[in-house]
């Protein structure tokens, strides 16, 4: 089955009672049992809900896995993965990733005795040399938020398999349209479903997808024990969102290229971070493991003052100044004060995230309007 067809048909079964083509929103907390423990597979809605089941099936199919688990947010999905570990265990992760993941790791889990080693995961030797007998998990994000660094998932998977470690990949920026980490050897794919999978800026949700049934059981146990499950209405919205992932991503990629090329030739714009450029350090790997390059772009102005960046951030009309990404509408963001403010400034600067960096989530409006908007805002 080709991608566009898969996104529309994944997990879609007409309702057996009525034939309704869309999975109904099962807004219920419990299910009536015929006799004690004699039921239809649904006992209590924290453990199972039919709308969620349909979504979890769809998530597994679109990420080429066998099992999907749906969470109340992206960070709740990440939280469940770290709860597989024990005090004393170590995790190797990128020194450039979503600020909320960094906060969860350092502010919540470090105090339970889990150690996080932040390295440049694009450098295989750095990853290899950070591994010791306590290492249990490698956590990747590629492309990274917001610097668009690319890590070779297949090459890291060779290392994790050799050392017996779990490999989890945050695939939020790429979406399953562009990249399928399980095909490249990852054990777990994580999504902030809030972004491209939902696609309409109307839901907060997360997901994990895996192939291994035993790993699914461990993560399902954590999901139902800790309770970070989404409501059925949100599951319905995501089931609907996934159907148009193919057409949306196609347009995000077309518009992303137009905007990236416009920025690059603009005399007032400095560095543009977008993996589609042939001279991007991760371009060859991105080309190998992704189907296209997406609509996420970061850039700096030649005038590196924060004031000038703030002026641009406040002057766009179609790019709304907001956190988040991956919706049909274009967004503009200032990572240093918004999405990545939870990372200490010294850490940020050391890893190349300057105070004047601007991040764009290029939407699916007409690209001419988006370019015009940036032209007038940059001035
Ligand atoms: C937004 C985001 C998250 C967190 O997801 P929520 O749905 O906001 O909890 C994790 N990783 C990346 C790359 C993100 O962009």
């Amino acid at each position: 089955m080709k991608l566009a067809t898969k996104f529309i048909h994944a997990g879609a079964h007409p309702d057996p009672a009525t034939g309704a083509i869309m999975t109904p929103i099962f807004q219920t907390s419990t299910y009536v049992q015929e006799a004690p423990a004699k039921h239809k597979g649904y006992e209590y809605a924290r453990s199972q809900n039919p709308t969620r089941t349909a979504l979890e099936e769809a998530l597994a199919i679109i990420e080429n896995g066998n099992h999907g688990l749906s969470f109340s947010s992206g960070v709740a999905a990440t939280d469940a993965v770290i709860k597989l570990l024990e005090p004393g265990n170590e995790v190797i992760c990128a020194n450039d990733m979503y600020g909320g993941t960094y906060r969860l790791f350092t502010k919540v889990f470090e105090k339970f005795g889990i150690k996080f080693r932040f390295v440049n995961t694009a450098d295989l030797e750095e990853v290899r040399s950070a591994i010791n007998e306590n290492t249990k998990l490698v956590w990747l994000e590629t492309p990274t938020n917001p610097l668009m660094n690319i890590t070779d998932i297949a090459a890291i998977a060779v290392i994790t398999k050799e050392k017996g470690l779990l490999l989890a990949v945050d695939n939020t920026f790429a979406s399953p349209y562009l990249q399928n980490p399980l095909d490249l050897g990852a054990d777990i794919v994580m999504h902030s479903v809030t972004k491209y999978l939902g696609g309409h800026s109307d839901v907060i949700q997360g997901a994990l997808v895996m192939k291994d049934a035993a790993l699914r059981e461990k993560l399902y146990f954590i999901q139902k024990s800790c309770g970070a499950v989404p409501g059925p209405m949100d599951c319905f919205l995501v089931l609907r969102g996934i159907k148009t992932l193919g057409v949306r991503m196609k347009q995000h990629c077309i518009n992303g290229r137009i905007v990236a090329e416009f920025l690059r030739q603009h005399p007032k714009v400095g560095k543009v971070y977008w993996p589609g450029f042939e001279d991007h350090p991760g371009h060859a790997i991105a080309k190998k493991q992704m189907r296209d390059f997406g609509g996420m772009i970061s850039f700096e102005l030649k005038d590196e003052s924060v004031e000038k960046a703030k002026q641009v951030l406040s002057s766009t009309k179609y790019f709304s100044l907001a956190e988040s990404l991956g919706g049909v509408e274009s967004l503009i963001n200032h990572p240093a004060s918004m999405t990545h403010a939870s990372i200490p400034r010294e850490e940020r600067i050391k890893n190349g995230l300057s105070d004047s960096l601007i991040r764009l989530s290029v939407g699916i409006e007409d690209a001419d309007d988006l370019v015009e908007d940036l032209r007038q805002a940059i001035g």
Side-chain angles (χ1 to χ4, degrees):
M1 203 193 301
K2 297 271 172 63
L3 268 183
T5 314
K6 188 152 91 170
F7 293 134
I8 290 167
H9 291 280
H13 311 290
D15 176 43
T18 62
I21 194 162
M22 279 304 289
T23 305
I25 301 163
F26 285 89
Q27 193 74 51
T28 188
S29 62
T30 194
Y31 309 87
V32 177
Q33 308 196 1
E34 258 176 64
K38 188 157 182 243
H39 53 73
K40 300 179 167 67
Y42 293 91
E43 300 149 287
Y44 182 61
R46 171 155 40 73
S47 305
Q48 314 97 355
N49 178 286
T51 319
R52 197 169 99 215
T53 306
L55 172 59
E56 290 180 336
E57 187 187 336
L59 290 166
I61 292 169
I62 66 175
E63 271 297 9
N64 300 338
N66 296 325
H67 309 282
L69 291 171
S70 170
F71 290 83
S72 54
S73 67
V75 292
T78 305
D79 171 89
V81 175
I82 306 303
K83 283 175 176 158
L84 291 167
L85 307 179
E86 287 171 15
N89 288 173
E90 295 193 9
V91 181
I92 294 171
C93 43
N95 56 14
D96 160 40
M97 60 180 183
Y98 173 63
T101 307
Y102 177 88
R103 179 174 58 198
L104 177 68
F105 289 177
T106 57
K107 297 283 166 31
V108 178
F109 280 111
E110 268 182 3
K111 67 172 189 267
F112 291 105
I114 294 167
K115 188 163 173 193
F116 297 89
R117 287 178 181 268
F118 298 93
V119 306
N120 172 10
T121 54
D123 182 338
L124 302 179
E125 276 324 298
E126 243 190 75
V127 173
R128 218 176 248 289
S129 62
I131 297 173
N132 63 34
E133 68 278 11
N134 297 321
T135 312
K136 294 286 181 250
L137 169 72
V138 175
W139 182 273
L140 298 182
E141 190 178 303
T142 180
T144 57
N145 181 355
L147 289 171
M148 309 304 295
N149 287 316
I150 303 290
T151 292
D152 188 334
I153 299 172
I156 298 281
V158 169
I159 301 174
T160 54
K161 284 204 167 48
E162 175 196 320
K163 303 279 183 186
L165 313 177
L166 275 180
L167 174 59
V169 179
D170 181 338
N171 202 29
T172 301
F173 261 40
S175 92
Y177 176 87
L178 294 178
Q179 173 175 286
N180 298 112
L182 297 181
D183 291 348
L184 303 168
D187 300 295
I188 303 172
V189 180
M190 174 266 167
H191 277 281
S192 169
V193 172
T194 312
K195 317 293 169 54
Y196 286 109
L197 291 177
H200 296 76
S201 309
D202 53 8
V203 68
I204 293 282
Q205 201 177 104
L208 298 176
V209 181
M210 65 247 59
K211 288 192 166 164
D212 185 62
L215 184 57
R216 186 264 176 198
E217 284 318 302
K218 286 185 200 164
L219 288 163
Y220 172 65
F221 180 81
I222 292 167
Q223 182 199 38
K224 81 171 176 193
S225 303
C226 299
V229 293
M233 176 71 194
D234 288 356
C235 293
F236 173 86
L237 287 172
V238 175
L239 276 168
R240 181 159 84 163
I242 289 173
K243 288 186 190 294
T244 57
L245 186 67
V247 280
R248 284 187 287 109
M249 287 306 298
K250 200 182 216 173
Q251 198 60 43
H252 282 298
C253 291
I254 292 171
N255 288 2
R257 176 174 292 280
I258 294 170
V259 169
E261 283 170 357
F262 161 75
L263 288 170
R264 189 166 224 198
Q265 56 72 45
H266 196 291
K268 290 189 181 167
V269 172
K271 191 161 178 193
V272 183
Y273 302 79
W274 184 66
F277 290 135
E278 279 180 16
D279 56 358
H280 180 288
H283 179 73
I285 295 163
K287 215 169 153 178
K288 183 179 71 160
Q289 68 188 15
M290 298 169 72
R291 297 181 185 94
D292 204 336
F293 305 104
M296 292 303 299
I297 302 166
S298 294
F299 68 100
E300 278 147 5
L301 297 165
K302 283 200 179 129
D303 173 348
E304 287 175 11
S305 67
V306 182
E307 294 68 45
K308 179 64 193 169
K310 286 195 170 155
Q311 192 188 320
V312 172
L313 284 150
S314 312
S315 333
T316 49
K317 287 189 311 228
Y318 299 129
F319 282 87
S320 302
L321 178 61
E323 300 205 4
S324 202
L325 60 105
V328 290
E329 60 286 279
S330 294
L331 299 180
I332 190 166
N333 167 283
H334 183 226
S337 69
M338 296 167 69
T339 44
H340 292 67
S342 51
I343 302 174
R345 185 167 184 276
E346 322 76 81
E347 281 295 310
R348 264 192 278 119
I349 303 287
K350 196 174 79 194
N351 299 324
L353 201 173
S354 71
D355 286 337
S356 61
L357 188 84
I358 295 173
R359 191 190 77 185
L360 301 177
S361 171
V362 179
I364 62 171
E365 301 95 333
D366 192 297
D368 290 348
D369 289 328
L370 299 180
V371 163
E372 223 23 71
D373 192 24
L374 291 168
R375 196 196 306 281
Q376 66 78 27
I378 294 167

